[in-house]
Amino acid sequence: MKIQGFLGAMALFLMLGCQQKTTTPDSMKTAIPEEEKDTVAILKEPQKEITNDAAAILARKEVPILCYHNIKDFSASAGEMTKTYTVKPAAFAEQMKALSDAGYHSILPDQLYDYLLHNKPLPEKPVMITFDDTRGEQYSIGAAEMKKYNFKGVFFVMTVSINRPNYLSEAEIKELSDSGNAIAAHTWDHHMVTKYSGEDWNTQLVKPKAKLEAIIGKPINYFAYPFGLWNAAAIPEIKKSGYNMAFILSTKRDSLNPLFTVRRMIVSGNWTTERMMQSIEGTFKNAK
């Protein structure tokens, strides 16, 4: 009977305890100093995204952007244009390894856009690796070699060449996109933007964008000028066609539209790997 009485008392004690509200004595509450209340209120408000103007974009450190065309062997007697626009497979492999060994991390256009326009952070030692003209070896050699170092590339496609022999197929373009690379536009047939008029803008800017979007199922927001050539008349048309950023070669950027004159450097087949690494520093002297 004594045990039963003891257990009953304990049950009553616990029940009463559960019904009591836990309170914190005023002496233990942390008061926010009056002078800090405004700061706390600001921190609680949604922070507005920074949007840089042209001057602020130009003031950002440039990111090295490499431009490749052909990746194939050539003879010592090849013409200068071939040597300039063609990198041998062994040299390309060596260059990718050198970038990795030096601590570079590949980035894609979305990251560059957010960095330039909104001050978003980039990985340490960023580099962008781009390919022009839709050559088939960019997939079979370029993408395969980059994959060894977890690098991703940007493939600027001229749509007239899709599915032709020695050029990228629709399936390869889709696979490149699905595996994390960026697909971007490089006109329909590589005519100079500086010579466009009338229906050319639709043929060279709008239709290629729509075709590539249909292939990869994603927006196409970036464009590269054939031969790196541009003029002031082209930029409003490129904007109107739905592109967020456009890439030239290593000439001067436009002071009013730096997002549409982003500089790249052609990697020459005449260069050693050491020369290529030195050229990154020389071309992008204020590189991030």
Side-chain angles (χ1 to χ4, degrees):
M1 294 294 292
K2 290 182 178 180
I3 293 174
Q4 291 178 343
F6 174 75
L7 292 176
M10 284 296 294
L12 180 61
F13 174 78
L14 291 172
M15 182 179 68
L16 291 173
C18 290
Q19 291 176 348
Q20 290 179 350
K21 294 182 179 179
T22 303
T23 58
T24 303
D26 290 343
S27 59
M28 294 179 66
K29 293 180 180 178
T30 302
I32 299 173
E34 196 66 32
E35 63 273 15
E36 293 183 14
K37 286 184 178 179
D38 288 342
T39 302
V40 171
I42 291 171
L43 291 174
K44 286 182 178 180
E45 292 179 1
Q47 298 300 299
K48 292 182 180 179
E49 188 171 55
I50 294 169
T51 300
N52 289 326
D53 60 14
I57 291 169
L58 287 167
R60 304 286 282 160
K61 289 184 178 180
E62 283 188 274
V63 171
I65 305 178
L66 310 182
C67 177
Y68 290 93
H69 289 79
N70 303 321
I71 309 173
K72 62 182 181 180
D73 287 312
F74 57 86
S75 66
S77 61
E80 281 307 306
M81 284 291 287
T82 296
K83 291 179 178 178
T84 298
Y85 286 92
T86 306
V87 173
K88 293 180 178 181
F92 182 82
E94 192 174 87
Q95 290 166 12
M96 295 301 102
K97 184 178 186 303
L99 289 170
S100 178
D101 289 347
Y104 281 96
H105 298 85
S106 67
I107 67 165
L108 295 176
D110 283 347
Q111 293 170 277
L112 182 65
Y113 179 81
D114 285 339
Y115 163 75
L116 292 173
L117 191 62
H118 302 304
N119 292 350
K120 297 292 179 66
L122 290 176
E124 185 179 0
K125 296 191 75 171
V127 64
M128 189 180 291
I129 305 166
T130 72
F131 301 87
D132 286 6
D133 299 351
T134 329
R135 300 288 182 177
E137 67 267 13
Q138 296 171 2
Y139 170 84
S140 60
I141 299 174
E145 200 62 44
M146 288 192 298
K147 188 176 180 181
K148 295 178 182 178
Y149 307 102
N150 200 30
F151 288 162
K152 303 297 182 184
V154 187
F155 295 80
F156 288 103
V157 176
M158 55 179 186
T159 50
V160 70
S161 61
I162 297 173
N163 292 328
R164 289 185 177 182
N166 302 320
Y167 287 90
L168 294 175
S169 67
E170 289 190 10
E172 288 168 339
I173 291 169
K174 180 73 162 60
E175 186 177 335
L176 285 169
S177 175
D178 289 348
S179 59
N181 298 283
I183 303 300
H186 195 40
T187 74
W188 176 58
D189 63 354
H190 212 266
H191 281 174
M192 293 181 188
V193 167
T194 53
K195 296 183 177 181
Y196 293 173
S197 64
E199 184 60 20
D200 291 336
W201 301 110
N202 186 54
T203 300
Q204 303 289 352
L205 298 179
V206 178
K207 288 183 178 180
K209 184 179 191 296
K211 182 176 180 64
L212 290 171
E213 288 175 343
I215 292 171
I216 68 171
K218 300 173 187 174
I220 298 294
N221 295 324
Y222 306 104
F223 175 82
Y225 300 92
F227 311 103
L229 299 175
W230 64 280
N231 59 13
I235 292 177
E237 296 292 340
I238 293 169
K239 290 180 180 179
K240 187 168 66 177
S241 299
Y243 297 99
N244 294 336
M245 198 158 57
F247 294 78
I248 59 174
L249 293 175
S250 56
T251 52
K252 187 177 180 181
R253 293 177 290 173
D254 182 58
S255 61
L256 299 178
N257 290 284
L259 285 180
F260 291 85
T261 50
V262 179
R263 299 193 322 133
R264 299 186 295 161
M265 178 187 83
I266 291 178
V267 180
S268 172
N270 290 311
W271 293 351
T272 63
T273 297
E274 183 181 9
R275 169 76 185 279
M276 186 272 285
M277 298 296 284
Q278 290 172 347
S279 293
I280 289 175
E281 296 180 6
T283 301
F284 303 95
K285 291 180 180 179
N286 68 336
K288 182 174 174 61

